Structure formats: C-alpha cells, structure tokens
C-alpha cells in the first residue's frame, strides 16, 4: 500500500459513525471534539452547523466548509407483518440497496436490519424486469410484528452498516461523501498556526438534501472568501471513455472548475493551482457535468463572494463501497493547509 501521513483511525471513526441530513448529532460531537483542540473557539448554530475559528491578524476572513451528513433513510411505515418501509434522505440508486445490512436508530438504541432480496430463481420475469425504487424496499429486522412495531417508529433514522478499510492503495467504505473531506478540514486545522487571516473551519448540515446548511451559514459568517471541499466523481473504471472519467484516482487532489451548481472564481482556482505547483502538490482539474456542492451555498448568500473548491476523487459515489486513493487525501490536506497559510487577504479575486 502507498504510504500516507494522515490519521486513519480518525477517518475510520468519522465514516463509520452515522449521521443523516438533519440528524448529524453523532458526527457533530466528533467534529466539536477535534476543533476544540485546534481552534480558538467553536460555535454551533440553530441548524447544527459547527464552526471552529482560528483568529487571524486582519479583519479578512476565509470560510472552509465540508458537510457532515451522509445519505440515508427515514422510516415511513412498519407493516402489519413487521417489515420496515423507508423514505430516502438524499440520492440513492435503489439497485445497489438490496441484500444490504442497515442500522435503524431508534430512541432506545440501534437495531440491525437487512434490506430484503428474494432468491432470483423464485422471481417471475415481470419481477426481474421491474425497476427498483426505494419506496418498494423493505427492511427485515428479525422480529415478530408486534415487537417490531413496539421497537421501530415512523421517523426513526436508517443508515447503511459498513466498515471502512484499507484496500490496496485505496480506502473504501460508506460515507466518504463527505466525511473524507470533513476529515481533511480537521487535519488542515491542526497545521494552521498564526494565520494572517481569520479562518472558519465549517462542518455543515443537510448538504445531501439541497445545500441547506451552507446556504444559511454563508449569511451568518459572511466571509470574504469561501472554499468548499467535497468528493467528486472518478469514473476511471471499465465501461467509461477517458473523457467521461471526470477525475482519476491517484492523480492528485482535484481543483474544481465547475459542477452543476457553481462555476468557481477563476482567480481562486488559479491561485489554488499556483499554490499546488509551488508546494509540489499533485493536482488535477475537475469539470463535473452534474451535481452540486456547498460551494454554491456560499456563492448564493449575502452578496457576491469569490468561491473555490477542492475535491477528492472518489469511485462508486453514493454506495457503501466508496473508494479514494490515500495519496489524493494527503494531497488535499497539503493543498488546503498551504493555501490557508499563504492567504494574506491582499489577493484580488475581483473579476
């Protein structure tokens, strides 16, 4: 396996802990613990966004954001037979959900369940050809109907059960989107000392259901510059032409030029490039045809703000086997830390 410098155990804790949109409590506790050790002050707003601030020597401020929430589900019904039906929180491809293990987070504790998948040789041709939808799936929790209804309630949260492991030169698991970038922000915060500008390290909520946390936070913080971190598509796998890869694993951190929600400020992404080259950080450009990130939340609030974004190339997004290359993670942390260390507040990002 390729060598890396980051804290794998912290990344493992972040990715394996549950936290769906609007219910990021367990992740928030970890983020607060880490930020309190490395920033001057930590605050949480009414939505649940967490901000750790390192005070600079000028009035200029930079916000750096990554989201805490992972895609998941909410219980919408428990059938008379004791099976649990779901409503999606975020964008799922239902084809990959069958025969997966889940955790249902009830008020009295976590309950293990499996998303049912009948044996293929028992299905009719019509059943085999039917397109799967989340609303048609059911979770078997191994309890009789009466006990199931006493145990699980409408509104309980559901997440996929998965461990995060090293796989060759990659890290694979659930919720790398966006915990691996949240982790990168926490690691960068450890390196930033006595900055010229004030830096707000922001862990946002509800990104997977519409960039809601970042949109509100952009108003509250009103930074002079915002940099968002998120994973991005890496379709460098069989079945895709090179022009459709978007990014490639092992080719460095990705400097975003555009996605479906934002066109980053050219002066910001060029400075990210210049810092990467001066620091010897491997990078690639990202042109993402669809999808959005917290970058747009900051661009749409409290007037015109220069925004940029750094992405970690990730295969198999929105599955339980999301995979990233360890050297790309290191490169992302290195670039973010170097960018913040060299930000003086005197760069002109006006177009």
């Amino acid at each position: 396996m390729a060598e890396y410098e980051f804290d794998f155990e912290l990344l493992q804790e972040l990715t394996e802990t549950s936290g769906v949109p609007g219910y990021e409590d367990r992740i928030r506790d970890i983020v607060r613990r880490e930020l309190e050790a490395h920033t001057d002050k930590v605050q949480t707003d009414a939505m649940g966004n967490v901000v750790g601030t390192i005070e600079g020597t000028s009035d200029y401020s930079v916000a750096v954001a990554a989201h805490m929430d992972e895609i998941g589900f909410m219980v919408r019904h428990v059938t008379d037979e004791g099976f649990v039906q779901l409503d999606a929180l975020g964008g799922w491809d239902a084809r990959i959900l069958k025969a997966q293990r889940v955790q249902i987070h009830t008020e009295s504790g976590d309950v293990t369940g499996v998303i049912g998948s009948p044996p293929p040789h028992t299905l009719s041709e019509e059943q085999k050809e039917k397109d799967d939808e989340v609303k048609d799936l059911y979770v078997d929790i191994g309890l009789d109907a009466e006990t199931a209804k006493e145990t699980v309630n409408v509104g309980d949260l559901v997440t996929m059960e998965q461990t995060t492991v090293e796989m060759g030169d990659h890290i694979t698991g659930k919720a790398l989107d966006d915990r691996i970038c949240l982790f990168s922000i926490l690691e960068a915060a450890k390196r930033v000392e006595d900055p010229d500008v004030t830096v707000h390290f922001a862990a946002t909520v509800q990104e997977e259901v519409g960039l809601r946390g970042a949109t509100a936070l952009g108003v509250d913080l009103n930074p002079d510059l915002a940099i968002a971190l998120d994973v991005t598509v890496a379709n460098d796998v069989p079945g895709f032409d090179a022009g459709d890869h978007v990014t490639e694993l092992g080719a460095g951190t990705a400097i975003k030029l555009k996605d479906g929600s934002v066109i980053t400020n050219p002066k910001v992404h060029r400075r990210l490039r210049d810092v990467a080259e001066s620091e010897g950080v491997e990078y690639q450009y990202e042109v993402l045809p669809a999808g959005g990130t917290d970058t747009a939340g900051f661009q749409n609030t409290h007037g015109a703000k220069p925004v940029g974004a750094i992405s970690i190339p990730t295969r198999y997004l929105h599955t339980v086997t999301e995979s990233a290359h360890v050297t790309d993670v290191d490169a992302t942390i290195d670039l973010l830390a170097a960018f913040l260390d060299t930000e003086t507040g005197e760069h002109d990002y006006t177009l």
Side-chain angles (χ1 to χ4, degrees):
M1 184 171 186
E3 294 183 359
Y4 58 88
E5 299 178 359
F6 56 81
D7 182 354
F8 176 74
E9 290 184 359
L10 176 57
L11 175 58
Q12 194 173 42
E13 181 184 14
L14 285 165
T15 51
E16 293 182 1
T17 301
S18 66
V20 299
Y23 297 84
E24 299 90 351
D25 311 63
R26 298 182 186 184
I27 298 299
R28 185 158 42 244
D29 289 343
I30 299 171
V31 170
R32 287 193 63 95
R33 180 194 74 202
E34 295 297 315
L35 287 176
E36 285 171 355
H38 301 289
T39 62
D40 297 322
K41 63 178 179 181
V42 178
Q43 302 177 83
T44 303
D45 66 16
M47 287 189 71
N49 296 302
V50 181
V51 180
T53 301
I54 299 178
E55 298 289 351
T57 56
S58 72
D59 293 332
Y60 193 95
S61 67
V62 180
V64 182
H67 66 91
M68 293 185 284
D69 54 313
E70 65 183 290
I71 55 174
F73 310 92
M74 182 177 285
V75 173
R76 65 180 179 87
H77 181 63
V78 181
T79 72
D80 290 340
E81 296 75 30
F83 295 99
V84 178
Q85 295 177 305
L86 307 174
D87 185 62
L89 295 172
W92 283 107
D93 181 349
R95 295 175 302 170
I96 61 96
L97 293 175
K98 284 188 174 181
Q100 298 282 358
R101 188 175 293 144
V102 301
Q103 288 288 310
I104 302 176
H105 308 290
T106 75
E107 287 191 17
S108 57
D110 293 347
V111 175
T112 298
V114 294
I115 298 177
S117 182
H121 54 277
T122 67
L123 300 177
S124 67
E125 289 303 316
E126 181 181 354
Q127 288 173 316
K128 289 179 181 178
E129 294 174 2
K130 182 181 178 182
D131 291 332
D132 292 322
E133 295 184 51
V134 171
K135 68 180 180 63
D136 299 323
L137 302 177
Y138 63 87
V139 178
D140 185 342
I141 59 173
L143 297 174
D144 62 77
E146 182 179 355
T147 308
K149 288 196 170 190
E150 291 173 351
T151 304
V152 177
N153 293 297
V154 171
D156 286 342
L157 293 313
V158 182
T159 55
M160 308 303 290
E161 184 177 294
Q162 179 66 294
T163 56
T164 300
V165 299
E166 297 171 318
M167 179 182 70
D169 293 335
H170 300 174
I171 292 170
T172 183
K174 76 167 183 71
L176 269 65
D177 179 6
D178 187 33
R179 309 276 171 71
I180 201 164
C181 289
L182 179 61
F183 167 76
S184 299
I185 283 180
L186 297 176
E187 290 292 282
K190 298 175 184 178
R191 302 188 191 180
V192 175
E193 297 180 358
D194 301 320
D196 291 329
V197 300
T198 294
V199 183
H200 302 293
F201 294 94
T204 64
V205 298
Q206 301 189 44
E207 189 272 354
E208 294 289 1
V209 290
L211 319 182
R212 297 174 187 174
T215 301
L217 190 63
V219 175
D220 293 339
L221 286 181
N222 189 23
D224 297 290
L225 170 66
I227 304 291
L229 277 76
D230 209 333
V231 294
T232 191
V233 170
N235 279 338
D236 56 336
V237 296
F240 290 88
D241 294 333
D244 297 324
H245 287 178
V246 183
T247 62
E248 298 180 357
L249 264 62
T253 188
I255 298 173
K256 185 187 292 289
L257 304 184
K258 69 167 289 287
D259 61 30
S261 67
V262 70
I263 297 173
T264 58
N265 181 294
K267 290 185 178 180
V268 175
H269 71 64
R270 287 170 190 155
R271 197 172 96 73
L272 285 166
R273 174 203 63 195
D274 293 344
V275 171
E277 292 180 352
S278 66
E279 296 293 325
V281 175
E282 193 168 7
Y283 73 93
Q284 55 190 306
Y285 284 127
E286 173 202 356
V287 177
L288 183 63
T293 63
D294 277 344
T295 323
F298 282 96
Q299 195 174 48
N300 289 333
T301 57
H302 218 74
K305 300 294 178 184
V307 296
I310 306 171
S311 305
I312 296 181
T314 307
R315 291 178 185 163
Y316 322 125
L317 287 173
H318 285 204
T319 74
V320 295
T321 54
E322 295 175 337
S323 301
H325 199 289
V326 294
T327 60
D328 297 339
V329 181
D330 265 336
T332 300
I333 299 167
D334 290 344
L335 178 56
L336 177 59
F339 182 88
L340 295 173
D341 276 338
T342 56
E343 180 56 61
T344 62
E346 297 177 357
H347 296 93
D348 181 12
Y349 297 117
T350 305
L351 300 179

